[in-house]
Every structure is written in C-alpha cells, then in structure tokens.
Amino acid sequence: MTQRSANLLGLILLAVLPGCRETEPTELTTRNGRMLGHVVGWVPLDGKPLANAQVDFHNNVTRRCSAGTDENGRYELKFSRRQKGAPVGEHRVAIGLFGQNSEDPADEPLPAHYNKNSILKATVRKGANTISFHLTTPKGASEVAELGNVHGLI
C-alpha cells in the first residue's frame, strides 16, 4: 500500500467511525406518540453507592418506569423492555431493596419514606435527564417527621 492510499484510507475511516458509536436519541417517543425523556441517575445511601436497588417512577397517566442500580448506584430508566425513558412530567419515585432478606422477602431495609410511603418526586423533561437521589438513613423518628417532599437532583 502506498503512502497516498494509506492516507486516503485513514481519512475515510475518520469520516465513517464517528457514526458507529451509539448515541441516545434526542427525542424518545412511544409507539403511540407519547413523549419520553431519557433518564439516568445515581442513588447513594449515606454517601455510598446503593447497589441492586429498584428505582420506580410512577405518574398518573401511564405505566411505571423502572430500573435497577448497578454496583456504582447508577440507573437508566426503561419505559418497557425495549424502550428507554419515562413519560415527560411529574413522577412519584420509589426506591427500595425489595426482597433482599431471603428469610422475609417482604422485609424492606430502606425506610418506608423512600418506597412504600415515598416522599420522593421527580420531573422528567423532554430530552436527556440526570436525576439522582441522595438518600440518608434517619437517626430517629424526629428526623423522619421533618422530611417533606424531596425532588430528585438534576
């Protein structure tokens, strides 16, 4: 191969390869045209990544959107098995380690104000959303009583 051919091949590869990487679509929609936002985030508990947690976004219009956290506490919501995202709008958020106690699967180690009686809320916007929830373990009943609605940090 001559130097000129090698240079030409290099230029062609530079032009083609950037298009090969996967990028998130700027607009996500359901099959029936409902607008979705792409949602990723991080869930730490007392400053440490909360691994293997279930993150659920609920709204009043459509189904629940869910994700599991990885070992770093990161999640990416899915509208369905094949569709990423969550509907645009307000959501109640529940986060739990559901079923982590094999002797009592109904036992939830996280406080109920993060799941069953969740005070967590988030607003999903069109396009890319980074919504993280920095959870803390309450030290006593008075701390739980002082908690109000908490919105995901963007």
Side-chain angles (χ1 to χ4, degrees):
M1 181 181 286
T2 68
Q3 181 64 35
R4 184 175 178 168
S5 297
N7 289 341
L8 182 59
L9 179 61
L11 286 174
I12 291 171
L13 286 175
L14 283 175
V16 172
L17 287 179
C20 293
R21 70 174 182 226
E22 260 188 62
T23 58
E24 292 302 323
T26 55
E27 288 193 10
L28 298 172
T29 56
T30 63
R31 282 185 278 167
N32 64 1
R34 183 170 176 90
M35 185 63 63
L36 302 175
H38 181 245
V39 180
V40 298
W42 183 54
V43 182
L45 176 64
D46 298 327
K48 297 178 183 156
L50 185 61
N52 302 313
Q54 175 82 22
V55 179
D56 295 327
F57 276 48
H58 305 266
N59 68 18
N60 295 329
V61 179
T62 187
R63 71 179 86 177
R64 174 184 72 199
C65 299
S66 299
T69 59
D70 64 15
E71 65 276 358
N72 297 312
R74 300 204 184 284
Y75 73 91
E76 179 177 24
L77 281 182
K78 286 196 166 194
F79 180 74
S80 66
R81 284 185 182 172
R82 296 184 185 133
Q83 177 83 51
K84 293 178 183 178
V88 170
E90 292 290 320
H91 294 261
R92 185 178 66 80
V93 180
I95 301 172
L97 294 169
F98 309 105
Q100 293 295 310
N101 180 350
S102 60
E103 291 182 24
D104 183 5
D107 183 32
E108 170 56 60
L110 292 179
H113 59 266
Y114 293 140
N115 44 71
K116 185 177 179 183
N117 302 318
S118 183
I119 59 170
L120 304 174
K121 297 187 182 299
T123 302
V124 176
R125 293 182 173 80
K126 180 178 165 183
N129 295 261
T130 301
I131 303 174
S132 297
F133 296 93
H134 299 268
L135 310 181
T136 58
T137 306
K139 293 168 184 58
S142 63
E143 188 172 327
V144 174
E146 292 173 13
L147 292 173
N149 286 338
V150 178
H151 284 271
L153 303 175
I154 299 177

